[in-house]
Amino acid sequence: QQKVQQSPESLIVPEGGMASLNCTSSDRNVDYFWWYRQHSGKSPKMLMSIFSNGEKEEGRFTVHLNKASLHTSLHIRDSQPSDSALYLCAASHYAQGLTFGLGTRVSVFP
Amino acid sequence: GGIITQTPKFLIGQEGQKLTLKCQQNFNHDTMYWYRQDSGKGLRLIYYSITENDLQKGDLSEGYDASREKKSSFSLTVTSAQKNEMAVFLCASSNLQGAATGQLYFGEGSKLTVL
């Protein structure tokens, strides 16, 4: 069973719209969450990280974290075609390797 | 800035063959990782290493061996390649081995095809 569950599997968003992605860990030992973005044919790049309960905003991207439910969400406002990519959620504990989810594929159409 | 170099970029092998992928980083990071990515899906951890000569198994270690000969390099061996095993193998590195893993930096990937 996947330890990091992401939903939805895919998302189609109109340009200028809002994309909302979800991620939950089933591992109670997890302390930290990460969001990575991977454009087609490229390697993943870290987008945002969140370690504390609450919200963190960077430009058009906002992440939320609820540590009690081990749930994080990523919101992209004013979506652009360049935001079309695979979004990977990852969780980690201490110095162990990050565990990734299967990803949400976001397609932004003009 | 640093860079992670994976070789080869493309690897084609025969079923049952032993195949080795190599990874070099010049970030001076302590921790290095090998992930497998199937068909544009999520990444699964094969092995990671928090220092030279250290090896830790991930969820997908069966069928693979790894070696951390020195801090800057981490190699992965597919012990017996399986037919139709098409995947991209991603090497990554990070600093901090303390309370949290640092941001991972990924190489460009090595694409494996087994005939």
Side-chain angles (χ1 to χ4, degrees), chain A residues 52-67:
Chain A
S52 305
N53 271 326
E55 177 181 302
K56 182 177 174 181
E57 182 177 329
E58 290 181 5
R60 297 183 294 107
F61 298 88
T62 302
V63 289
H64 295 268
L65 175 62
N66 180 326
K67 291 192 90 168

Side-chain angles (χ1 to χ4, degrees), chain A residues 8-65:
Chain A
E9 193 171 308
S10 62
L11 193 56
I12 299 174
V13 184
E15 186 173 0
M18 170 78 85
S20 295
L21 291 66
N22 296 293
C23 173
T24 303
S25 171
S26 61
D27 183 352
R28 303 298 312 180
N29 291 320
V30 157
D31 302 295
Y32 307 95
F33 288 87
W34 310 79
W35 285 95
Y36 280 74
R37 181 169 67 180
Q38 185 179 26
H39 285 108
S40 183
K42 300 293 186 182
S43 58
K45 299 279 194 299
M46 200 272 284
L47 191 61
M48 292 183 75
S49 59
I50 188 162
F51 307 147
S52 305
N53 271 326
E55 177 181 302
K56 182 177 174 181
E57 182 177 329
E58 290 181 5
R60 297 183 294 107
F61 298 88
T62 302
V63 289
H64 295 268
L65 175 62

Side-chain angles (χ1 to χ4, degrees), chain B residues 37-81:
Chain B
Q37 185 171 34
D38 292 13
S39 304
K41 293 288 190 179
L43 281 62
R44 289 185 289 173
L45 182 63
I46 306 172
Y47 271 98
Y48 68 101
S49 166
I50 60 175
T51 189
E52 185 178 330
N53 294 317
D54 173 74
L55 286 176
Q56 306 287 336
K57 291 183 178 182
D59 291 336
L60 199 66
S61 61
E62 190 171 333
Y64 302 94
D65 286 330
S67 176
R68 183 88 181 271
E69 308 88 1
K70 50 186 180 179
K71 189 175 182 180
S72 62
S73 69
F74 194 29
S75 59
L76 179 73
T77 297
V78 182
T79 55
S80 177

Side-chain angles (χ1 to χ4, degrees), chain A residues 34 36 38 43 86 98 101-102, chain B residues 35 37 40 42 99 101 103-104 107:
Chain A
W34 310 79
Y36 280 74
Q38 185 179 26
S43 58
L86 181 68
L98 268 65
L102 293 180
Chain B
Y35 286 92
Q37 185 171 34
T101 58
Q103 173 184 334
L104 262 61

Side-chain angles (χ1 to χ4, degrees), chain B residues 7-13 19-21 78 110-114:
Chain B
T7 55
K9 197 173 172 75
F10 298 96
L11 184 57
I12 300 174
L19 302 166
T20 298
L21 304 170
V78 182
S110 294
K111 186 169 183 178
L112 173 65
T113 302
V114 182

